[in-house]
Amino acid sequence: MSGDLSALVARLEAVTTRLEAAADKTGGGASEDVGVSVEGYDKVLNDKVAEFYKLSAKIGGEVEEQVQLVKKAFDAQRQFIVIASKNQKPGLEEFKKLVKPTADAMGEAQNYREKKRSSNMFNHLSAVSEAIPALGWVTVSPTPAPYVKEMVDAAQFYMNRVLKDYKGKDDTHVEWVKCLKDALTDLQAYVKANHTTGLVWSKTGGVAKAAAAAAAPPQGPKPAAPPPPPIQAPAPVSSGTDQTGAANALFSEINKAGTNISAGLSSCGLQVVCNFREKLVRG
């Protein structure tokens, strides 16, 4: 009997050792329970996007300030994808509320460029301003990945101007351009692999609500000051395709509406909303 007891104690000690080792690897805390689509998005954020943040901080000044708004948009979109991975697709009005934090941050990044037209970093700011609408892929169906590519192409003109100004003079700026393009290319690949015909929602769980986004803890360290109030952003540049214009128009309407996003939509905006209602229902 004592032999059996000793064997049992030894087994328990072995299990305890393995659990302690696992806790050490994770810092002793519970990891976030996320789905495949969120894990894929995290890989995008932790690779070229994170490198882009670092290079922007190295350049500093207005470039760093604008890219902090870009980070805000990416973080908001991550939370939106987390909600989609755990909840069923909501109706159009709730969808607009859920996507609004991303749209607001995108608008802030674009508006920053508009306020800095005399900046000697204007080409950098413009490249980011033209590229950031790529995050509007969540509103595009049935081909969101090509939409991301269109936004990369829209930013190429200003990226080329940065390369022309700094190639052979300052490699940091050259690498910054490459990293921006690579980050968006990674985003395109992620969307193609995980959301081929449009944002994928969970088939189980409750219907997504905007309150879930508001209650969720923020990613990363808490900012020193609260974010500025929502501001109206200029409409993102359209690539000329129907779905690009529709996505940009929807984000523009969301930004214009402020906190009461169901009010003040123009007749054009109402048509955009109707079109997206059909896509959301079919999707």
Side-chain angles (χ1 to χ4, degrees), residues 63-99:
V63 172
E64 181 180 13
E65 290 178 4
Q66 187 194 38
V67 172
Q68 286 175 350
L69 300 174
V70 172
K71 183 179 186 304
K72 182 179 175 182
F74 269 108
D75 289 347
Q77 181 154 100
R78 182 192 185 276
Q79 184 55 42
F80 181 62
I81 294 172
V82 169
I83 292 171
S85 72
K86 297 180 179 181
N87 296 273
Q88 297 181 50
K89 182 186 295 185
L92 181 60
E93 291 303 314
E94 202 67 30
F95 176 87
K96 291 193 297 182
K97 293 176 184 177
L98 288 166
V99 81

Side-chain angles (χ1 to χ4, degrees), residues 35-45 190 194:
V36 174
S37 66
V38 181
E39 290 178 351
Y41 198 77
D42 283 343
K43 289 180 180 178
V44 173
L45 295 183
Y190 160 78
N194 295 275

Side-chain angles (χ1 to χ4, degrees), residues 8 24 26 32 65 81 98 133 150 222 227 244 259 262 270 272:
L8 179 59
D24 289 340
T26 60
E32 183 182 8
E65 290 178 4
I81 294 172
L98 288 166
E150 289 173 8
K222 185 177 181 180
T244 300
T259 55
S262 63
L270 287 173
V272 171

Side-chain angles (χ1 to χ4, degrees), residues 6-277:
S6 297
L8 179 59
V9 170
R11 290 173 61 188
L12 288 173
E13 288 177 346
V15 170
T16 301
T17 300
R18 289 198 297 270
L19 290 174
E20 288 174 346
D24 289 340
K25 289 181 180 179
T26 60
S31 59
E32 183 182 8
D33 182 18
V34 297
V36 174
S37 66
V38 181
E39 290 178 351
Y41 198 77
D42 283 343
K43 289 180 180 178
V44 173
L45 295 183
N46 294 331
D47 191 9
K48 292 299 181 181
V49 173
E51 187 177 342
F52 178 67
Y53 295 157
K54 291 179 182 178
L55 288 170
S56 298
K58 185 176 181 180
I59 293 173
E62 293 162 338
V63 172
E64 181 180 13
E65 290 178 4
Q66 187 194 38
V67 172
Q68 286 175 350
L69 300 174
V70 172
K71 183 179 186 304
K72 182 179 175 182
F74 269 108
D75 289 347
Q77 181 154 100
R78 182 192 185 276
Q79 184 55 42
F80 181 62
I81 294 172
V82 169
I83 292 171
S85 72
K86 297 180 179 181
N87 296 273
Q88 297 181 50
K89 182 186 295 185
L92 181 60
E93 291 303 314
E94 202 67 30
F95 176 87
K96 291 193 297 182
K97 293 176 184 177
L98 288 166
V99 81
K100 191 174 187 299
T102 306
D104 284 347
M106 290 165 58
E108 289 177 46
Q110 289 187 304
N111 198 58
Y112 187 90
R113 186 270 296 264
E114 296 304 314
K115 295 186 295 185
K116 301 289 183 178
R117 286 192 166 272
S118 61
S119 170
N120 60 359
M121 293 285 110
F122 183 72
N123 288 330
H124 295 69
L125 304 182
S126 295
V128 171
S129 183
E130 301 290 352
I132 193 65
L135 296 188
W137 68 266
V138 294
T139 69
V140 176
S141 177
T143 53
Y147 168 81
V148 176
K149 176 63 165 59
E150 289 173 8
M151 296 303 100
V152 178
D153 294 342
Q156 190 65 57
F157 173 77
Y158 287 105
M159 288 193 284
N160 287 343
R161 294 186 71 169
V162 174
L163 291 176
K164 181 180 178 182
D165 290 342
Y166 289 94
K167 192 170 184 179
K169 300 176 183 177
D170 191 330
D171 290 342
T172 299
H173 295 262
V174 174
E175 187 62 26
W176 182 88
V177 170
K178 181 178 183 300
C179 203
L180 171 58
K181 188 169 184 177
D182 287 347
L184 294 174
T185 301
D186 286 352
L187 177 64
Q188 179 191 357
Y190 160 78
V191 173
K192 183 177 181 180
N194 295 275
H195 307 275
T196 308
T197 59
L199 178 67
V200 175
W201 294 83
S202 175
K203 300 299 183 183
T204 60
V207 176
K209 294 185 180 297
Q219 294 294 317
K222 185 177 181 180
I231 55 178
Q232 179 175 333
V237 175
S238 171
S239 67
T241 64
D242 291 342
Q243 70 178 15
T244 300
N248 289 341
L250 179 59
F251 271 94
S252 180
E253 291 292 336
I254 291 172
N255 281 323
K256 289 178 182 177
T259 55
N260 183 13
I261 62 177
S262 63
L265 290 175
S266 65
S267 58
C268 176
L270 287 173
Q271 183 60 50
V272 171
V273 166
C274 290
N275 292 341
F276 272 92
R277 182 190 297 277

